[in-house]
Structures are given as C-alpha cells and as structure tokens.
Amino acid sequence: MVQQLDYQTIREIFTRFQAAEPEPKGELEHTNAYTLLVAVALSAQATDKGVNKATKELFKIADTPQKMLDLGEEGLIEHIKTIGLYRNKAKNVIKMSRILVEDYGGEVPSSRAALESLPGVGRKTANVVLNMWWHVPTQAVDTHIFRFGNRSGVAVGKDVVAVERAIEDNIPAEFQQHAHHWMILHGRYVCKARKPLCSTCLIRDLCMYEEKNLD
C-alpha cells in the first residue's frame, strides 16, 4: 500500500486543485434536494451521464415525492429502464418518496442518520446530498476517490470508510467542502483506472503512484 502523504504535500495538492477549479460541481443534474437525492440514488453502478439522460424528462413531471408517487413504479420504470438495476431502484425511489411524504412532510431531511434510513440511500448517497445541497463538508467516497486516494497517497485506506476518515483527518479544513468533487473529477478524467493521464496531471510531481504513465 502507498504511504500516506504528509500534511504540507496534501495542502499543495489541493491548492493546485483549487487554483485550477475554484468551484467544482457535481455532474448529476437536479433542481432541488429531492431530485438530487433521487439522481444520486439512481447513480449507483451507473454513469452520471446515463442518469442525466434518464432523468431529463422524469424530473419535468416528478420533481417532488408526491409527484413521484402519482407517477407510480411502472411509470418511473419507463423513464429509468436504461439504467442498471432499474427495477430495484424504482422500488426504492417509490418507497423513499412515500416515507418522505408520510414522515417528513414531503421534504428531504438534512441529517445523515435520517437520510441513511431511507430505502436505497447509503452513506455515500447521504454524504453527496449533504455536501451538494446543504454544503456540509462531507466526503462521499466512490470508486474514483478510492482509487485516487490510494494511488496518490492523499487518502490511504483499505475500504471506503477508512478512505473517508483519511480525507477528514489529512486534508486541510479549508479544502474539505470541495475535496470530494476535486477528487471525483480528477479520478474520472485524469487518474483513470486503466490508463491514467499522468503526463498531463497537475500533481504528478507530488503523487506517490509508482507506475506513472508518462507517455
């Protein structure tokens, strides 16, 4: 396993990320907390691009929990059947929407515990919603962050919870709000799984990855 980078090196890495992209944004399209929650839940084992394509028309007619219930499970399936695991996801979205209507007055709760209690919502989904909608400096560790964190030495850990903790412990406080977006985007477009673009990477001199692709 790669060694965890020191504080000053991590500070320099995120200073560069911030200079290149001061306000990084998530790529899932949404209009409110509910559509963000649904989009993130649908994105499990799917691409953001694929989810955005499926939800473009869906969110025009079902942008609240009650409207989603009115659409119904079969109606929802018609919109999301291009997404992996769509039947199970449709069931969860309908169950989630019912709970939001019955227990939360149709509003999305702003606590991690409440979010995680909803069907189809795990820690990662809850953290994304808390970060993107309520600007809580949470860290949603996906495959891109897990790969980048361990390759680079920015956040080393054997599982997603360990990497999340490493991010919180090692990245300076002023970068915590946007940290997961910088890492997701870097992992998605530069520090790719099969052929990382090390030769054009803005932190290649600081990264601990031994198998750098410098072609």
Side-chain angles (χ1 to χ4, degrees):
M1 187 179 284
V2 167
Q3 187 177 347
Q4 178 70 48
L5 287 169
D6 65 83
Y7 181 83
Q8 289 304 327
T9 303
I10 291 173
R11 172 178 284 283
E12 175 60 23
I13 284 171
F14 281 89
T15 298
R16 293 183 191 181
F17 282 159
Q18 185 179 58
E21 185 66 64
E23 294 287 333
K25 304 290 184 193
E27 296 185 320
L28 285 172
E29 293 170 6
H30 60 282
T31 56
N32 55 29
Y34 175 70
T35 54
L36 174 61
L37 177 62
V38 171
V40 179
L42 293 176
S43 72
Q45 296 180 7
T47 65
D48 288 0
K49 193 175 289 185
V51 172
N52 288 339
K53 191 174 180 181
T55 59
K56 186 175 182 182
E57 296 304 317
L58 172 65
F59 289 159
K60 289 179 182 178
I61 58 173
D63 61 352
T64 69
Q66 186 58 59
K67 288 178 184 176
M68 191 67 77
L69 290 176
D70 294 341
L71 178 63
E73 190 174 320
E74 290 305 315
L76 173 56
I77 283 173
E78 282 304 305
H79 285 277
I80 68 169
K81 60 188 178 183
T82 55
I83 299 174
L85 308 174
Y86 67 90
R87 288 194 181 278
N88 192 49
K89 289 176 180 178
K91 278 188 175 66
N92 283 332
V93 168
I94 294 299
K95 285 181 188 173
M96 172 210 303
S97 301
R98 186 166 288 112
I99 291 170
L100 291 176
V101 168
E102 293 176 355
D103 297 347
Y104 296 97
E107 299 294 325
V108 175
S110 59
S111 87
R112 181 189 278 138
L115 286 167
E116 285 191 57
S117 73
L118 297 171
V121 179
R123 186 178 183 86
K124 179 193 152 197
T125 297
N127 281 347
V128 171
V129 174
L130 289 170
N131 183 285
M132 289 181 65
W133 194 257
W134 283 287
H135 307 296
V136 179
T138 50
Q139 307 303 332
V141 179
D142 68 351
T143 54
H144 299 300
I145 290 180
F146 187 80
R147 178 178 64 253
F148 167 70
N150 278 293
R151 261 185 188 170
S152 64
V154 165
V156 177
K158 291 182 178 178
D159 55 45
V160 293
V161 175
V163 170
E164 181 181 330
R165 193 175 298 119
I167 293 169
E168 293 171 347
D169 290 347
N170 295 292
I171 294 174
E174 66 262 37
F175 301 120
Q176 288 281 334
Q177 177 63 52
H178 293 312
H180 97 272
H181 276 132
W182 280 316
M183 288 188 284
I184 285 173
L185 295 171
H186 194 74
R188 184 176 289 161
Y189 297 112
V190 181
C191 194
K192 298 178 181 182
R194 293 186 179 174
K195 198 173 182 183
L197 307 180
C198 301
S199 62
T200 59
C201 175
L202 79 169
I203 63 160
R204 64 184 176 276
D205 57 318
L206 305 173
C207 173
M208 297 289 287
Y209 187 44
E210 292 180 356
E211 300 171 38
K212 288 177 185 170
N213 172 32
L214 297 173
D215 295 338

